[in-house]
């Protein structure tokens, strides 16, 4: 019989440069603002006792809102990328910090629109915990939440 040993990871991962959610978002915003083919939307704010976290969505500018009679925009290929649901899973947000602009460029070269939510749970990201500041996990009750 094999005994499993549970090992708790420390809050700091070996690949984690100690980036805060605000540093991560500022880096992505700085890169995205250089581009004319991506819109930046702040769709909300999370306020805790110690911090205020902006919630951002980045969207291809050529992504048109479909109308009932507009088959072309209804058929437009679109990728939706969400990262940072669990604050202890830092790879997605850190990857977006480094490669968001490249991902948009490559998708646009192929005629594909992108909608990016780079950090769904900024309070959990800062604490490097699975849950947010209210001790909730963002995707257990996803249908209840509205993502901007």
């Amino acid at each position: 019989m094999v005994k499993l040993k549970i090992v708790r990871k420390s809050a700091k991962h070996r690949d984690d440069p100690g980036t805060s959610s605000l540093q991560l978002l500022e880096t992505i915003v700085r890169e995205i603002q250089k581009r004319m083919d991506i819109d930046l939307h702040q769709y909300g704010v999370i306020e805790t006792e110690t911090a205020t976290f902006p919630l951002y969505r980045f969207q291809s500018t050529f992504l048109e809102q479909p109308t009932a009679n507009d088959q072309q925009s209804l058929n437009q290929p679109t990728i939706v990328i969400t990262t940072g649901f669990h604050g202890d899973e830092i790879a997605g947000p850190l990857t977006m910090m480094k490669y968001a602009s490249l991902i948009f460029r490559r998708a646009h070269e192929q005629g594909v629109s992108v909608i990016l939510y780079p950090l769904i749970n900024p309070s959990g990201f800062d604490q490097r915990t699975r849950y947010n500041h209210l001790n909730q996990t963002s995707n257990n009750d996803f249908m209840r939440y509205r993502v901007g």
Side-chain angles (χ1 to χ4, degrees):
M1 175 178 233
V2 176
K3 289 187 178 183
L4 297 177
K5 182 178 180 182
I6 297 175
V7 178
R8 284 199 172 269
K9 292 184 180 178
S10 66
K12 194 163 188 171
H13 186 273
R14 65 180 169 78
D15 294 330
D16 177 10
T19 305
S20 75
S21 62
L22 294 176
Q23 290 170 322
L24 178 127
L25 292 170
E26 286 171 358
T27 301
I28 296 173
V29 166
R30 196 171 36 253
E31 286 302 309
I32 295 298
Q33 284 181 330
K34 296 176 187 176
R35 301 187 51 139
M36 300 299 292
D37 57 345
I38 304 170
D39 282 335
L40 165 64
H41 303 276
Q42 183 176 340
Y43 66 89
V45 172
I46 294 175
E47 294 188 29
T48 70
E49 292 179 11
T50 59
T52 299
F53 302 98
L55 298 172
Y56 289 115
R57 174 182 74 233
F58 303 95
Q59 181 172 319
S60 302
T61 55
F62 65 87
L63 178 64
E64 300 173 18
Q65 295 299 320
T67 62
N69 297 324
D70 185 6
Q71 279 302 112
Q72 183 175 0
S73 61
L74 285 172
N75 294 329
Q76 181 176 6
T78 302
I79 296 172
V80 177
I81 302 171
T82 59
T83 68
F85 275 95
H86 301 134
D88 59 344
E89 297 171 357
I90 63 173
L94 293 176
T95 299
M96 290 303 109
M97 184 173 75
K98 189 169 183 177
Y99 295 110
S101 188
L102 176 64
I103 291 168
F104 274 93
R105 182 174 59 84
R106 294 265 174 93
H108 292 176
E109 288 170 355
Q110 301 298 315
V112 175
S113 297
V114 178
I115 301 171
L116 168 63
Y117 295 90
L119 189 56
I120 300 293
N121 179 7
S123 62
F125 183 86
D126 276 0
Q127 296 172 9
R128 300 302 193 260
T129 61
R130 185 171 191 83
Y131 302 99
N132 66 14
H133 65 288
L134 299 173
N135 205 30
Q136 301 167 327
T137 183
S138 319
N139 68 349
N140 279 358
D141 192 10
F142 192 77
M143 296 305 289
R144 191 175 89 188
Y145 296 92
R146 180 174 175 217
V147 180

